[in-house]
């Protein structure tokens, strides 16, 4: 299964939810944290707690919504294709390599700095094209928080002796010499079904 453009964009924006949270925190006016809550809300009397108006909140909301839609999409995938898992290797670093350099690079970014903001948009645009074309878009690093793990697996289809190697996402531990059902999204196998033991 290959993501369409809109679905790809949703997954990509969801993966940068931490960056939107960092930018939101940087834009907050912390001197207003101890101010009393303004009620009833009156534009003439109330002060908005963000330096750049609603823009940080909108981007934060968009990334959060995209993350939730990505997680919802994963829960609706129903693996149906049986494969025999022969070898399994847990890959802990692939998720972190996907996002940490980008988040750290823009820790000092602020919405007032138009040049850096435009640069960030261009950078993320290129990252989207690269991850979409490479078929690695589904490797959302935030999935770790929700219990998903990445594995490198050697497998074959029942009745076929050709051994294959690929990546798999699963919430459960994957064991060698087991048969399980998978669904494939952008060359990444999604494993959610129970496994049964097969002869090695």
């Amino acid at each position: 299964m290959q993501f369409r453009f809109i679905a790809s964009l949703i997954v990509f924006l969801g993966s940068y939810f931490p960056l939107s949270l960092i930018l939101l925190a940087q834009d907050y006016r912390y001197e207003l944290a101890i101010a009393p809550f303004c009620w009833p809300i009156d534009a003439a009397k109330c002060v908005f707690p963000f330096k750049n108006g609603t823009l940080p909140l909108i981007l934060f909301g968009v990334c959060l919504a995209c993350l939730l839609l990505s997680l919802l999409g994963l829960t609706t995938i129903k693996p149906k294709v049986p494969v025999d898992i022969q070898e399994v290797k847990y890959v802990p670093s692939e998720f972190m390599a996907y996002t940490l350099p980008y988040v750290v690079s823009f820790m000092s970014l602020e919405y007032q700095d138009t040049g850096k903001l435009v640069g960030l948009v261009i950078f993320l645009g290129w990252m989207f094209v690269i991850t979409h074309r490479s078929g690695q878009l589904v490797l959302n690093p935030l999935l770790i928080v929700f219990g998903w793990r990445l594995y490198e697996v050697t497998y074959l289809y029942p009745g076929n002796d050709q051994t294959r190697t690929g990546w798999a996402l699963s919430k459960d531990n994957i064991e060698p010499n087991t048969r399980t059902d998978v669904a494939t999204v952008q060359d990444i196998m999604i494993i959610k079904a129970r496994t049964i033991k097969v002869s090695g």
Side-chain angles (χ1 to χ4, degrees), residues 78-119:
K78 301 196 180 302
K80 295 179 180 179
V81 179
V83 297
D84 291 336
I85 305 292
Q86 294 185 316
E87 297 177 8
V88 180
K89 178 184 177 184
Y90 174 52
V91 185
S93 62
E94 292 296 331
F95 287 103
M96 302 309 292
Y98 178 88
T99 193
L100 269 185
Y102 320 132
V103 174
V104 172
S105 296
F106 295 104
M107 288 290 284
S108 62
L109 177 70
E110 295 183 357
Y111 284 101
Q112 297 101 317
D113 195 332
T114 305
K116 283 187 178 180
L117 191 60
V118 171

Side-chain angles (χ1 to χ4, degrees), residues 120-142:
L120 174 62
V121 171
I122 294 172
F123 173 78
L124 291 179
W126 276 109
M127 286 305 304
F128 170 70
V129 172
I130 291 169
T131 53
H132 179 63
R133 292 289 179 88
S134 68
Q136 307 302 312
L137 195 58
V138 76
L139 298 181
N140 185 333
L142 290 185

Side-chain angles (χ1 to χ4, degrees), residues 82-84 156-160 179:
V83 297
D84 291 336
L156 51 82
Y157 294 103
N160 188 330
R179 176 171 294 176

Side-chain angles (χ1 to χ4, degrees), residues 57-74:
L57 276 176
I58 290 171
L59 293 179
F60 173 79
V62 167
C63 289
L64 177 60
C66 289
L67 173 62
L68 295 176
L69 285 172
S70 300
L71 294 173
L72 179 64
L74 272 177

